[in-house]
Amino acid sequence: MALTTAQATRFLADVHYSVALHTLRETVQSKRLLFVTVSSFLGLYILAAYALVSQGLSFVYGLPLLGPLLTERLIYLLFFFFFVMLVISNATITGMGLFRRSETSWLLSLPVPHKSLVLWKTLEGMVLASWALLLLSAPILVAIGQLYHVGASFYLATLPALLCLVLLASNFSAWLLLLLMRGLRRQWIKPIAIVAVIGLAVSSVQLLPDRSPDGKRTDVAMNVAQILNHTEFFTHPLLPSAWVAESALGAVRGGSDRSWFFNLTLLSWALASLVVTTRIAGWLFYRAWTQSLQPAPLAKMKAAAAGSSGRAARDRRWLVDPITQALMVKDMRTFIREPAQWGQTVLVFGLLFLYTGNLRRIVSDYQDPFWSNVISYLNLLVCSLSLSTLTTRFIYPQLSQEGQRLWLLGLSPVSMARVLRTKLWLTTVVTGTLTTLLTAVSCVSLELPFERAVFFIAAIVMLTVGLNALAHGLGTIFPDFREANPAKIVSGFGGTLCLITSFLFILASVAIALLPALSELHVRLPWVDHYPRAYLKLLSLAGIFVLTVVFGLIPYRLAEKRIKNLDYFTKA
């Protein structure tokens, strides 16, 4: 008797749940100290996030006349970006689970419907992609509840709506993924990427409000009208994120009927999305999966063969020895073959470049010393946090993704320490170039003096080195060679510890970098005011260097020593 789609999905869920529960128990018993450390850091993060978000919302809400209106619009923006982040994360994780793992081939040989396989992978991707976002959103929801002084009814109305939004986002990402894998051709990727980047740049520049060239403050009412006009889209009644916001605001205003209406609307659409996912999976999945297994076009293979004669001449252009070159080419080709990796990297840095390039049009008081310092240090913080997200997401699992093939590198005439050193050098150069260029563009946009620009560039370079070394070091100390999905590797204890440690490293570095600007930020410390500005800048850079050594180079050195042990390869 053949299994139905629901029965097969439940069977797959039970098997994976048992494996995950056993792995969690084994990890907690064998690594109790690490478990307690990670749990403590998460608790501290929740408290810190609640304090910061609560202060920010209270400031916005307290603005005369406009505070409540702007606060409501922020809630709409919050849930919209939650929805977009969930769609991107689910599409990435579900795509890797369906089309980039050998497990799919084995599961297709089982007597289970293809619909159940897609449905299970969609739900699995939802769990892996949403747990961190739900954890991040918890202190924000508590801060909103405390701002409006509401009781438990607010959380009883908002939490189910948020869970339905998570389910909708995961199914919507599965639809997009199946349609793209079925209809997209490899030769279309580059033209589509170029058109998308150009369109994003043009639209972002056109949507920005006009500012006077001298940077003078414009009318407040006009600014507020522009803000409301540009954010009106996020309140569209057909957006699921707007339904969540309406549910939360309905609970805040005491309208329980309106709140539960949108909750039931979200629930009906979430359940309907499961049905649509099974139907689309039955139509598209198997054809999309077989199409993903097709080799490169014959014309492309012939072109590659024809160009092999000039490879020796191109190899001489490299500034490194042939062994290092071979290792670098392997890592670069692996990265290029994963659209989920370079796609997210291009998206993050592309948006950051658009933002920093238009700071003069976004910030009207950029020439004021106070706001110039605030925006400069916020740029440093945002750039560092974005980089830490990418290093944790993509660089941390690099060695673990070698998997069962790690012993091949161990038998090669290249030491594993050199392999690790090459990975660090390559990722640091690439990310360092991007972050340095990003910081330079922001400095030019804000018309910062040359010495301040050099200060910020030196700080971001050291932060880049430290974050890359930390990701490689912890990824080597806590490897997972049995798991091929990088999202699951990052979701483990080592990935969580890497993210938390990176966050602490960035906060400490930015706090030390603030020393030269305390007087302009109206913060008075007696022992700081006695020293000249140049001395404080050198002292700040020295402090960031020490933090780079402690948080980055020390874990990396420990990883180099551990990877030399023969016992290390028994895990592969």
Side-chain angles (χ1 to χ4, degrees):
M1 181 178 178
L3 296 175
T4 63
T5 302
Q7 291 174 338
T9 305
R10 181 176 179 179
F11 169 73
L12 293 173
D14 290 340
V15 172
H16 285 81
Y17 173 76
S18 300
V19 173
L21 187 61
H22 175 74
T23 304
L24 179 62
R25 289 176 178 174
E26 183 181 359
T27 304
V28 172
Q29 292 176 359
S30 59
K31 300 177 181 179
R32 294 181 179 179
L33 179 61
L34 181 61
F35 179 78
V36 173
T37 302
V38 173
S39 301
S40 302
F41 278 129
L42 288 177
L44 291 174
Y45 161 76
I46 291 175
L47 294 177
Y50 166 74
L52 293 174
V53 174
S54 179
Q55 291 292 328
L57 288 177
S58 299
F59 173 79
V60 175
Y61 189 80
L63 294 176
L65 299 178
L66 303 173
L69 181 60
L70 293 178
T71 304
E72 291 185 3
R73 195 57 59 90
L74 282 177
I75 294 176
Y76 281 100
L77 284 170
L78 171 69
F79 290 115
F80 176 80
F81 285 113
F82 276 179
F83 182 73
V84 173
M85 291 170 63
L86 285 170
V87 169
I88 296 175
S89 300
N90 278 278
T92 302
I93 296 175
T94 305
M96 291 182 178
L98 281 175
F99 299 103
R100 293 293 182 180
R101 297 188 65 187
S102 57
E103 179 188 1
T104 304
S105 302
W106 178 77
L107 290 175
L108 286 174
S109 64
L110 298 178
V112 295
H114 298 164
K115 302 176 183 179
S116 62
L117 176 59
V118 176
L119 186 59
W120 160 244
K121 288 298 180 182
T122 301
L123 297 176
E124 183 186 33
M126 178 189 70
V127 174
L128 293 174
S130 62
W131 74 268
L133 185 62
L134 292 176
L135 183 66
L136 295 175
S137 62
I140 300 177
L141 293 179
V142 174
I144 294 174
Q146 292 296 321
L147 177 67
Y148 289 101
H149 303 288
V150 293
S153 60
F154 170 77
Y155 306 104
L156 292 177
T158 306
L159 185 59
L162 188 59
L163 294 177
C164 291
L165 183 70
V166 169
L167 184 58
L168 266 173
S170 63
N171 284 280
F172 183 69
S173 63
W175 306 342
L176 293 178
L177 179 67
L178 292 174
L179 290 173
L180 285 175
M181 294 300 296
R182 180 65 184 93
L184 191 63
R185 298 295 183 267
R186 295 185 179 183
Q187 58 269 26
W188 299 353
I189 295 179
K190 290 183 179 179
I192 290 176
I194 295 174
V195 172
V197 171
I198 296 175
L200 179 63
V202 173
S203 60
S204 300
V205 172
Q206 290 180 349
L207 287 176
L208 290 174
D210 293 330
R211 297 288 185 184
S212 54
D214 56 354
K216 294 181 180 179
R217 185 185 301 272
T218 56
D219 185 66
V220 175
M222 184 181 299
N223 287 334
V224 174
Q226 289 177 347
I227 292 174
L228 296 178
N229 183 39
H230 289 307
T231 58
E232 187 177 0
F233 167 77
F234 306 113
T235 64
H236 197 281
L238 295 181
L239 288 176
S241 59
W243 302 343
V244 182
E246 288 287 350
S247 177
L249 293 174
V252 166
R253 297 164 183 161
S256 58
D257 294 340
R258 183 177 180 84
S259 178
W260 285 111
F261 168 78
F262 283 103
N263 264 283
L264 293 176
T265 303
L266 282 163
L267 179 61
S268 61
W269 277 94
L271 295 177
S273 66
L274 292 173
V275 179
V276 175
T277 299
T278 56
R279 294 298 179 90
I280 294 179
W283 298 334
L284 300 178
F285 168 65
Y286 193 75
R287 295 179 180 178
W289 181 73
T290 54
Q291 182 174 327
S292 67
L293 299 178
Q294 293 179 1
L298 184 60
K300 186 176 180 180
M301 297 173 62
K302 290 182 179 180
S308 60
S309 58
R311 187 174 302 167
R314 291 194 301 268
D315 291 345
R316 288 193 294 268
R317 300 176 185 175
W318 290 73
L319 301 178
V320 296
D321 57 277
I323 295 178
T324 304
Q325 172 190 335
L327 294 172
M328 292 170 57
V329 170
K330 179 186 76 68
D331 288 339
M332 287 189 293
R333 288 180 176 176
T334 303
F335 181 79
I336 293 174
R337 290 169 182 170
E338 293 290 344
Q341 294 191 13
W342 57 259
Q344 293 187 46
T345 304
V346 171
L347 178 64
V348 171
F349 279 103
L351 292 176
L352 287 176
F353 273 112
L354 290 176
Y355 161 70
T356 55
N358 292 275
L359 277 175
R360 191 179 303 179
R361 302 182 64 184
I362 299 174
V363 184
S364 59
D365 293 335
Y366 69 92
Q367 293 180 338
D368 182 80
F370 176 81
W371 289 110
S372 177
N373 279 283
V374 169
I375 300 300
S376 300
Y377 284 98
L378 284 178
N379 285 336
L380 179 64
L381 181 63
V382 169
C383 184
S384 303
L385 290 175
S386 301
L387 179 61
S388 69
T389 303
L390 295 176
T391 54
T392 304
R393 179 64 180 81
F394 300 125
I395 295 178
Y396 171 83
Q398 271 195 4
L399 193 68
S400 298
Q401 286 185 284
E402 300 289 348
Q404 304 297 324
R405 301 177 299 275
L406 184 65
W407 65 274
L408 292 173
L409 291 175
L411 294 177
S412 65
V414 182
S415 64
M416 290 301 300
R418 184 174 182 179
V419 173
L420 186 62
R421 188 164 53 250
T422 302
K423 290 178 178 291
L424 174 63
W425 184 85
L426 177 62
T427 57
T428 302
V429 169
V430 174
T431 58
T433 302
L434 292 174
T435 53
T436 302
L437 183 59
L438 189 65
T439 305
V441 170
S442 64
C443 292
V444 172
S445 298
L446 295 174
E447 298 181 357
L448 297 182
F450 178 76
E451 61 275 7
R452 288 188 61 192
V454 172
F455 172 78
F456 284 111
I457 290 175
I460 196 62
V461 167
M462 287 188 285
L463 281 166
T464 302
V465 173
L467 291 172
N468 279 274
L470 177 63
H472 281 295
L474 293 181
T476 305
I477 295 174
F478 303 105
D480 186 1
F481 298 117
R482 298 180 180 179
E483 181 58 56
N485 191 342
K488 290 186 177 180
I489 297 173
V490 175
S491 299
F493 285 101
T496 307
L497 181 63
C498 181
L499 183 62
I500 294 173
T501 310
S502 300
F503 183 69
L504 294 177
F505 171 46
I506 292 171
L507 286 184
S509 299
V510 174
I512 292 177
L514 281 170
L515 286 177
L518 290 179
S519 61
E520 295 179 353
L521 294 175
H522 309 302
V523 177
R524 298 296 179 183
L525 293 178
W527 64 273
V528 174
D529 296 336
H530 295 295
Y531 297 101
R533 181 68 58 85
Y535 178 81
L536 291 176
K537 289 181 179 180
L538 293 177
L539 184 63
S540 297
L541 293 178
I544 297 175
F545 177 79
V546 173
L547 291 176
T548 302
V549 173
V550 173
F551 282 91
L553 298 184
I554 291 180
Y556 176 76
R557 289 298 181 185
L558 294 176
E560 273 192 334
K561 292 181 179 179
R562 186 178 182 188
I563 204 173
K564 294 178 182 178
N565 299 329
L566 294 178
D567 295 338
Y568 189 82
F569 295 94
T570 60
K571 298 182 179 181

